[in-house]
């Protein structure tokens, strides 16, 4: 079982480039299945999740290639419609293939993607929306057998602006008959990136980034070359690592405006953030201060994916900080690992209260999930002594060469096999 070994206390300096977005690349890889010719994706992150998505694409019969962050998918011809449980379970977002495979061949047989450590993560909105588009869905023993003669456009109002449900509806609607209108759609930048990719393939979509998205179904989507957006959560993770460890870093190849809801939190902590074009210059404050209550919200609010590593940065911030986790019901599992390092955190339901302490101490902990693992790494960088973080396969799901990038910034971190 691989671990990350970190000797904390070393300030970070230098520059780091942000890789392509996991949460944009996964729906775009699924969308590529809908095309009638080759798709080339630039800036595709090399993550275990993107490899898992490629395995699903290969399983349904399409060839893929992946070299130096360039992914090539050849989705010509008919595809298989069944995705086995072992592939579905590799990642939560495998559900995103449902809309794409239905759009491609009118049938899709999958198993429930299952919840993961951060919550039950039901798919009721995905399924009810697809039913409105004419899909019949038989649920039996954890299997979903979905089919439809021809997907039909529909007016769909989401009870919650679910990212995944919005993406699945878009993928089912782009080649459906007629118009689909999604009300209360998710506004995340990853949705915008998916729509930009589909438009490059010939899709007729409007309203991305707003709460109402309109899709005019067309007959065919053409392959194209597309560059995936940078990962805004990875960008914020490096800011948190510098806040924990101290020092000054430059974060390149990012989109500063996409972390506009996170930057003010670092500034309130006493850090200095300055951006020029696609680079953020970040200086950790000397003595971090507690911040006003942070409530996780849908975009453009404070993102739930940043909660764990911002909490790590607040463990040594003088005063009391409060988080309210409004998106997932079980997203404080990293608290245990932070407490092992000496953090003073109390959790009550969806509220976590952090009392800043003077020091954190190196300790053994286990990554509970993807962003929780990143939070433990950030905290360990600023802890005194040696930390060992296990179950780092979670971290590998969303961070490409994470420990190598941190070591290049001056951290004493390595992966033990
Ligand atoms: C996406 O997950 C992201 N994953 C998550 O990032 C991110 O945290 C989340 O959006 C919120 O921004 C990918 O894009 C691959 P949701 P998703 O559907 O689509 C409930 C990371 O760390 N819900 O917006 O699963 C759900 O339980 C990951 O990179 C239903 O109740 O998120 C949750 O409480 C973690 N029924 C809330 O909505 C449904 O049918 C938000 O879920 C669908 C969702």
């Amino acid at each position: 079982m691989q671990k990350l070994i970190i000797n904390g206390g070393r300030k970070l300096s230098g520059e780091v480039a942000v890789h392509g977005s996991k949460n944009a690349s996964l729906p775009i890889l699924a969308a590529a299945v809908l095309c009638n010719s080759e798709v080339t994706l630039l800036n595709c992150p090399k993550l275990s999740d993107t490899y898992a998505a490629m395995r699903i694409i290969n399983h349904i019969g399409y060839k893929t290639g992946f070299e130096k962050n360039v992914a090539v998918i050849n989705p010509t011809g008919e595809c298989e419609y069944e995705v086995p449980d072992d592939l579905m379970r590799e990642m939560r977002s495998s559900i995103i293939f449902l809309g794409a495979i239905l759009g491609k061949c009118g049938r899709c047989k999958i198993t429930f993607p299952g919840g993961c450590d951060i919550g039950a993560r039901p798919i009721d909105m995905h399924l009810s929306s697809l039913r409105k588009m004419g899909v019949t869905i038989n649920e039996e023993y954890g299997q979903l057998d979905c089919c439809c003669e021809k997907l039909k456009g529909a007016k769909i109002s989401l009870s919650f602006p679910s990212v995944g449900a919005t993406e699945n509806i878009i993928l089912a609607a782009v080649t459906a008959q007629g118009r689909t209108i999604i009300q209360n759609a998710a506004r995340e930048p990853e949705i915008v990136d998916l729509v930009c990719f589909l438009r490059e393939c010939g899709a007729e979509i409007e309203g991305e980034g707003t709460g109402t998205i309109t899709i005019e179904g067309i007959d065919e989507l053409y392959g194209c070359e597309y560059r995936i957006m940078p990962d805004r959560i990875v960008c914020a993770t490096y800011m948190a690592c510098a806040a924990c460890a101290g020092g000054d870093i430059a974060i390149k190849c990012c989109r500063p405006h996409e972390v506009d809801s996170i930057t003010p939190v670092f500034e309130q902590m006493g850090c200095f953030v300055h951006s020029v074009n696609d680079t953020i210059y970040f200086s950790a404050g000397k003595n971090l201060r507690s911040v006003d209550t942070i409530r996780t919200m849908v975009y453009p609010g404070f993102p739930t994916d940043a909660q764990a590593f911002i909490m790590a940065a607040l463990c040594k911030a003088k005063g009391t900080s409060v988080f309210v986790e409004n998106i997932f019901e079980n997203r404080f599992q990293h608290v245990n690992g932070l407490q092992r390092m000496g953090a003073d955190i109390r959790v009550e339901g969806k509220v976590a209260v952090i009392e800043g302490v003077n020091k954190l101490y190196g300790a053994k902990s286990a990554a509970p999930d993807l962003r929780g693992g990143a939070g433990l790494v950030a905290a360990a960088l600023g802890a005194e002594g040696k930390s060992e973080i296990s179950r780092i396969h979670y971290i590998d799901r969303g961070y490409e060469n994470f420990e190598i990038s941190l070591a290049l910034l001056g951290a004493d971190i390595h992966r033990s096999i």
Side-chain angles (χ1 to χ4, degrees):
M1 177 86 96
Q2 295 189 353
K3 290 178 185 165
L4 287 179
I5 311 297
I6 299 160
N7 288 302
R10 292 182 44 172
K11 287 189 184 329
L12 302 186
S13 64
E15 57 184 53
V16 61
V18 173
H19 59 66
S21 163
K22 168 179 86 79
N23 291 350
S25 59
L26 294 175
I28 289 173
L29 282 163
V33 162
L34 285 163
C35 296
N36 61 11
S37 53
E38 188 171 273
V39 170
T40 300
L41 300 176
L42 310 177
N43 200 32
C44 188
K46 297 191 86 163
L47 306 166
S48 51
D49 270 12
T50 41
Y51 283 107
M54 302 262 192
R55 281 192 286 277
I56 292 177
I57 296 172
N58 294 152
H59 180 84
I60 61 173
Y62 295 139
K63 285 193 177 10
T64 57
F66 198 6
E67 271 303 308
K68 296 194 179 63
N69 296 105
V70 177
V72 178
I73 300 97
N74 193 337
T76 43
E78 281 299 299
C79 72
E80 288 297 314
Y81 62 79
E82 190 163 353
V83 181
D85 188 48
D86 59 322
L87 290 181
M88 284 299 293
R89 289 199 167 282
E90 280 196 277
M91 59 176 182
R92 151 76 193 170
S93 50
S94 49
I95 190 65
I96 240 35
F97 280 89
L98 175 55
I101 296 171
L102 276 172
K104 187 77 175 194
C105 66
R107 188 166 181 194
C108 183
K109 211 169 172 183
I110 56 169
T111 55
F112 273 93
C116 66
D117 306 64
I118 60 176
R121 303 184 78 174
I123 56 171
D124 53 308
M125 286 190 265
H126 298 243
L127 302 184
S128 60
S129 301
L130 291 171
R131 286 191 174 101
K132 286 198 183 100
M133 299 177 74
V135 181
T136 54
I137 300 173
N138 297 313
E139 298 178 41
E140 213 166 37
Y141 313 120
Q143 274 233 327
L144 293 166
D145 191 352
C146 312
C147 57
C148 62
E149 273 305 300
K150 178 71 182 156
L151 284 157
K152 292 178 188 56
K155 191 170 180 181
I156 296 164
S157 183
L158 292 175
S159 56
F160 178 90
S162 155
V163 170
T166 302
E167 291 166 346
N168 241 333
I169 298 165
I170 290 171
L171 293 178
V174 276
T175 55
Q177 239 161 14
R179 173 178 297 176
T180 298
I181 299 174
I182 310 170
Q183 289 178 327
N184 197 25
R187 301 164 185 242
E188 273 70 4
E190 293 76 20
I191 303 272
V192 175
D193 214 35
L194 171 63
V195 170
C196 291
F197 166 75
L198 288 166
R199 199 173 282 134
E200 198 65 28
C201 301
E204 291 177 24
I205 307 175
E206 283 177 6
E208 69 278 8
T210 74
T212 303
I213 299 178
T214 304
I215 305 112
E216 297 295 345
I218 58 170
D219 293 336
E220 293 213 86
L221 286 177
Y222 302 97
C224 71
E225 179 173 291
Y226 187 76
R227 183 175 185 79
I228 288 170
M229 65 178 271
D231 194 310
R232 60 190 170 102
I233 303 302
V234 168
C235 173
T237 307
Y238 284 120
M239 294 161 89
C241 288
C244 290
D248 308 290
I249 61 171
I251 305 166
K252 303 178 78 67
C253 311
C254 66
R255 291 181 183 170
H257 66 280
E258 288 176 351
V259 290
D260 274 351
S261 61
I262 304 172
T263 305
V265 174
F266 285 115
E267 289 169 333
Q268 213 189 347
M269 263 188 237
C271 300
F272 299 93
V273 188
H274 169 61
S275 55
V276 178
N277 301 328
D278 71 346
T279 302
I280 290 177
Y281 297 93
F282 186 93
S283 292
K286 296 280 170 291
N287 305 302
L288 298 183
R289 301 185 298 269
S290 59
V291 298
D292 299 336
T293 297
I294 296 175
R295 293 175 178 79
T296 62
M297 306 295 283
V298 297
Y299 195 87
F302 184 94
T304 175
D305 291 351
Q307 179 253 109
F309 48 76
I310 299 286
M311 184 186 288
L314 287 165
C315 287
K316 293 193 294 182
K318 191 169 170 18
T320 306
S321 303
V322 177
F323 278 92
V324 183
E325 175 51 65
N326 292 309
I327 306 294
F328 288 106
E329 65 273 26
N330 189 28
R331 204 167 196 179
F332 286 137
Q333 293 191 88
H334 46 280
V335 166
N336 177 266
L338 295 174
Q339 288 167 333
R340 285 162 172 264
M341 294 184 203
D344 178 352
I345 305 173
R346 280 171 294 120
V347 172
E348 193 74 39
K350 64 182 197 171
V351 177
V353 180
I354 298 97
E355 297 296 344
V357 295
N358 293 328
K359 264 190 186 168
L360 292 180
Y361 300 89
K364 286 187 180 176
S365 61
D369 54 61
L370 163 55
R371 306 301 173 188
L376 293 178
V377 171
L381 293 173
E384 196 173 278
K386 179 179 171 185
S387 292
E388 267 187 32
I389 299 172
S390 59
R391 297 204 314 193
I392 57 173
H393 61 281
Y394 281 118
I395 299 175
D396 293 340
R397 288 191 46 215
Y399 293 89
E400 185 180 322
N401 298 329
F402 192 36
E403 76 275 10
I404 295 168
S405 303
L406 289 170
L408 289 172
L409 288 172
D412 179 346
I413 181 173
H414 68 276
R415 181 178 293 243
S416 91
I417 309 295

